[in-house]
Amino acid sequence: MVLQDRAKATRGAIVVGAAAVFEEHGYGSASLTQVSEAAGVTKGALYFHFQSKEDLARAVIEEQHRIVVAESESILAGDWPGLTAMILLCRAFGLQLVHEPVVRAGIRLTFEATAFGPPVRGPYEDWIAVMEQLTERAKAELQVRPSIDAGTFARYLVASFTGVQMVSGVLTDRADVMQRIEEMWEIVLPGIMHDDFNEDPHALSGLVSTGSLSPTGIRTPLAP
């Protein structure tokens, strides 16, 4: 058991070290020597867990997806209305991009995946599926117009978020990503909100930066 725990800790350290290297240098310029130094392990230990740089890149992408899914599941378990849940999911993902190096590295690697294999589709397909389900829920809750096609909107929303965070990364190293996500929702909400839904679009988009409405309707702060 002690050896297993030690092996897991070593593997985890390697993934974190690899994420730091991939985030800074990208897949093409990263080296296994840089990874072993960043992780504080020998090359022998690195090769014990990972046979190649491709294996490392895939492990970082998998860990990034695991982190995002875990946070998403905690939000989805909160019984939020559909539209609120979508906004909170975008907020959570944005905060992870700010605070989680593994998430930033994983996102970069998904765009560079053709350098070491086929395009990475799974995380995007999963995210689109969740947003489609939440859009259907929001329609049933009379938050979103019945004319909105859930699949079309889900694909558009994921593409919009991806573009917003990418441009923020290029221009400000994501220093303004939360503001840009909020602006995205400010533009989107008036076009999709149901006529009988009386919530202020500006207040809803403000959930990205200021907090959340609890399932009982009481505004409570969300930890950054």
Side-chain angles (χ1 to χ4, degrees), residues 66-138:
R66 185 198 66 77
I67 292 171
V68 171
V69 167
E71 181 67 19
S72 298
E73 288 177 346
S74 70
I75 292 172
L76 295 174
D79 196 30
W80 301 96
L83 188 55
T84 304
M86 284 191 279
I87 296 171
L88 294 180
L89 286 172
C90 289
R91 180 184 193 272
F93 201 169
L95 288 173
Q96 288 170 335
L97 287 166
V98 173
H99 299 294
E100 292 282 357
V102 173
V103 172
R104 293 194 297 271
I107 293 299
R108 175 168 183 169
L109 287 169
T110 61
F111 293 119
E112 299 179 349
T114 53
F116 53 88
V120 177
R121 299 168 55 95
Y124 291 97
E125 291 171 342
D126 291 347
W127 194 15
I128 289 169
V130 169
M131 290 303 191
E132 183 174 357
Q133 293 170 5
L134 290 173
T135 303
E136 290 288 8
R137 184 196 299 179

Side-chain angles (χ1 to χ4, degrees), residues 29-49:
S29 299
S31 71
L32 294 180
T33 297
Q34 290 172 319
V35 172
S36 65
E37 291 175 352
V41 302
T42 65
K43 276 194 174 181
L46 189 154
Y47 280 112
F48 176 81
H49 291 278

Side-chain angles (χ1 to χ4, degrees), residues 157-172:
L157 182 61
V158 171
S160 297
F161 182 96
T162 301
V164 163
Q165 67 87 12
M166 283 182 63
V167 173
S168 174
V170 170
L171 296 182
T172 70

Side-chain angles (χ1 to χ4, degrees), residues 129-194:
V130 169
M131 290 303 191
E132 183 174 357
Q133 293 170 5
L134 290 173
T135 303
E136 290 288 8
R137 184 196 299 179
K139 290 170 67 175
E141 294 166 336
L142 303 184
Q143 291 185 310
V144 169
R145 294 177 183 175
S147 60
I148 299 296
D149 180 81
T152 299
F153 178 67
R155 290 187 293 272
Y156 172 78
L157 182 61
V158 171
S160 297
F161 182 96
T162 301
V164 163
Q165 67 87 12
M166 283 182 63
V167 173
S168 174
V170 170
L171 296 182
T172 70
D173 198 26
R174 296 195 179 92
D176 66 351
V177 69
M178 301 307 293
Q179 179 183 350
R180 302 307 169 211
I181 294 169
E182 183 172 344
E183 290 172 349
M184 177 193 77
W185 277 107
E186 285 180 354
I187 293 169
V188 167
L189 284 171
I192 67 168
M193 286 176 60
H194 196 285

